Amino acid sequence: MSSSVITPGSNESDCVKPKSRSWLQRIKPVFCLIPFVVFYYLFQLAPMIWVLINSFIYDDQFALDNYFEVLDSAFMMQAFGNSLWLSVWSSIVGLGIATLLVSSLRRVDSKIRDGVIAFTNMSSNFSGVPLSFAFIIILGTNGAVTLLLKQYGLLGDFDLYGKWGLLAIYIYFQIPLAVLLLYPAFDALSDDWQAAAALLGAKTSQYWTKIALPVLSPALFGTFIILIANAIGAYASVYALTSGNYNVITIRIASLVSGDLFLEPNLAAAISVILMLLLAFITIINQWLISKSYAGRK
């Protein structure tokens, strides 16, 4: 049997204070988290819930007609196809160029590396209308580079305002983002690994295919998904370059909620839900590939 001893000059309230203070210390982070929870709800969950609910409203009643209209429309399917084509190819090319760039940065002087990273950080914010205007000046119909290449017969039927021109713009703003995302991941590679592989008779290509790329695969897959999401949600650059005449899904959503003739926000909500499901499916596939890569390394 145990008994508590109260020293002279002390009382019960003094014994309770440490417990109350520890309880306040545990609950304090929760109060600090409340503003972030409110912000997340107002700007992330609430819009998603609104879009989901309104996607089922058709003629003031709940129905699936909005989804049937989207899936039955060849024009909408073309918009999804164009967006996916631009997103996937710009992500593949941008990821490949960024991987080579980051790999090369590890071999240069630290001052040059810091300068390139600073420039990349700055150029990652150069997008939208300014980026489209810059491309028009450089590669437009009468752009400086366009006229120079045509003079020497090095440029054929390149059209900045078509899918190849849009692909060039997409690749441009994908590369800086991919570099910033991949740069920390390359710290997982040790220079000793390549030296050890060379001593064992492995070629440089074998080192990359057997050692480096498997180690980097989770970062590469994750970056690839982020690049797809970044590209498929692009709007300002496409609109500024084509004035909304090129059929991509973001242009279609914008035309349904801000058009001068036909305002169909419920149909736009259905398109947005399909787009979210598509991105969720791509993300699930990405997570499965990442888990397989981790399992393969074990």
Side-chain angles (χ1 to χ4, degrees):
M1 185 174 68
S2 62
S3 61
S4 60
V5 178
I6 301 177
T7 59
S10 64
N11 51 43
E12 275 187 53
S13 61
D14 294 331
C15 298
V16 174
K17 280 182 181 179
K19 294 183 178 179
S20 63
R21 286 175 183 173
S22 63
W23 181 82
L24 288 175
Q25 289 176 351
R26 289 197 300 268
I27 202 70
K28 186 177 179 180
V30 177
F31 287 108
C32 295
L33 192 62
I34 289 176
F36 298 98
V37 173
V38 173
F39 183 85
Y40 181 79
Y41 173 77
L42 291 177
F43 294 96
Q44 187 73 28
L45 291 181
M48 290 178 63
I49 294 171
W50 184 94
V51 167
L52 182 62
I53 293 175
N54 281 268
S55 67
F56 292 100
I57 297 178
Y58 187 85
D59 290 340
D60 297 328
Q61 61 182 358
F62 273 81
L64 295 173
D65 294 56
N66 290 321
Y67 291 97
F68 292 144
E69 185 174 346
V70 173
L71 297 176
D72 291 338
S73 173
F75 190 60
M76 293 297 180
M77 290 297 100
Q78 184 191 48
F80 275 105
N82 290 340
S83 294
L84 284 174
W85 187 87
L86 288 169
S87 300
V88 171
W89 281 110
S90 65
S91 299
I92 292 174
V93 177
L95 185 62
I97 295 174
T99 302
L100 293 175
L101 177 59
V102 175
S103 177
S104 301
L105 284 176
R106 290 170 52 85
R107 307 297 178 185
V108 299
D109 185 72
S110 60
K111 292 183 179 180
I112 298 177
R113 183 167 59 248
D114 293 342
V116 172
I117 293 299
F119 175 77
T120 303
N121 193 15
M122 179 189 67
S123 60
S124 65
N125 297 306
F126 184 64
S127 59
V129 178
L131 177 61
S132 299
F133 181 67
F135 265 79
I136 291 172
I137 294 175
I138 297 172
L139 290 173
T141 306
N142 295 313
V145 177
T146 302
L147 295 177
L148 181 63
L149 293 177
K150 284 184 177 180
Q151 182 178 354
Y152 292 99
L154 300 176
L155 190 66
D157 298 329
F158 176 78
D159 182 14
L160 179 63
Y161 310 102
K163 70 175 184 178
W164 296 109
L166 286 174
L167 181 61
I169 289 182
Y170 273 59
I171 292 173
Y172 179 86
F173 67 70
Q174 294 280 56
I175 293 173
L177 178 60
V179 169
L180 294 177
L181 292 173
L182 287 178
Y183 184 73
F186 270 75
D187 291 336
L189 296 180
S190 174
D191 293 336
D192 296 336
W193 296 354
Q194 188 169 4
L199 288 175
L200 293 173
K203 299 178 181 178
T204 303
S205 59
Q206 291 176 319
Y207 162 76
W208 279 101
T209 55
K210 301 294 185 180
I211 300 174
L213 289 180
V215 171
L216 294 172
S217 57
L220 293 173
F221 287 136
T223 302
F224 181 68
I225 293 302
I226 294 175
L227 293 180
I228 288 181
N230 181 53
I232 208 168
Y235 170 73
S237 300
V238 183
Y239 186 84
L241 189 66
T242 65
S243 300
N245 294 323
Y246 193 80
N247 191 22
V248 293
I249 201 61
T250 50
I251 298 294
R252 296 284 66 79
I253 294 174
S255 66
L256 291 171
V257 298
S258 61
D260 296 331
L261 298 177
F262 303 103
L263 294 177
E264 298 183 74
N266 296 329
L267 184 60
I271 298 173
S272 301
V273 171
I274 295 174
L275 187 60
M276 286 190 292
L277 292 175
L278 181 62
L279 289 175
F281 174 75
I282 295 174
T283 303
I284 291 172
I285 297 297
N286 170 70
Q287 293 300 319
W288 179 77
L289 291 173
I290 289 176
S291 64
K292 295 290 286 185
S293 66
Y294 277 127
R297 283 192 293 175
K298 291 179 181 179

